[in-house]
Amino acid sequence: MRHKFEENAAIDPTDPLVVVQAAAESPATAAISAYLDSYQAPHPGIIPVKTPDRLVMVKTATIILADVQHETLLLYTTTGTVTTHETLRHLVQRLGDPNFVQVSKHGVLNLDHLQSLEDSFSGNMTAILTDQVKAPVSRKYVK
């Protein structure tokens, strides 16, 4: 991928225009557009999480792992575990942070808390996270 800058005095300096040019629209051009859309989107430092008995304010930087067990979503944080019935997909959308990566059908981890990856059986891997939290990494998501 190549890129270049062209100066144009007619464009408002506080609102630059970005043009993506290619021979045809492709997954790569769509990914670039999606990245540009999310570039200035506010990423909240704190998100509210509804638990069975209250609303807890969780700092996104403290989230180590989000894991679905049965119909419950467990948020493993540096300060403890928060239980909610929110869907994993909805949580990831609310986080809006590329550091949160899906590693299995039921788990999302924060790359800032990833310490190592270990081989597991049948091509899967195990992620070792902060506070010795472990999460399975499915073959589908290893890349």
Side-chain angles (χ1 to χ4, degrees):
M1 178 173 67
R2 299 174 300 145
H3 56 87
K4 67 179 182 175
F5 173 78
E6 292 179 3
E7 190 170 335
N8 184 341
I11 296 175
D12 181 0
T14 62
D15 188 24
L17 170 66
V18 178
V19 177
V20 177
Q21 294 180 335
E25 192 167 351
S26 67
T29 59
I32 291 168
S33 294
Y35 175 77
L36 291 171
D37 288 341
S38 68
Y39 177 72
Q40 286 189 320
H43 298 293
I46 297 177
I47 60 166
V49 177
K50 186 174 182 340
T51 66
D53 58 345
R54 61 188 170 162
L55 192 64
V56 179
M57 303 307 282
V58 178
K59 291 181 181 177
T60 57
T62 66
I63 298 173
I64 299 169
L65 172 71
D67 190 35
V68 176
Q69 293 181 3
H70 304 289
E71 293 182 8
T72 304
L73 177 63
L74 299 174
L75 292 179
Y76 295 91
T77 70
T78 56
T79 57
T81 305
V82 178
T83 304
T84 183
H85 289 289
E86 182 176 0
T87 65
L88 187 61
R89 179 179 300 212
H90 186 252
L91 175 72
V92 171
Q93 286 175 344
R94 289 196 314 131
L95 290 169
D97 187 339
N99 283 340
F100 287 90
V101 185
Q102 187 148 11
V103 293
S104 67
K105 193 166 55 171
H106 57 83
V108 170
L109 62 82
N110 185 345
L111 289 176
D112 291 337
H113 290 281
L114 178 63
Q115 294 178 342
S116 65
L117 287 170
E118 297 177 352
D119 286 329
S120 189
F121 61 93
S122 70
N124 292 341
M125 297 189 88
T126 300
I128 309 299
L129 305 159
T130 303
D131 295 342
Q132 295 304 306
V133 174
K134 294 183 179 182
V137 179
S138 170
R139 284 181 289 174
K140 179 180 176 183
Y141 296 94
V142 166
K143 292 179 186 177

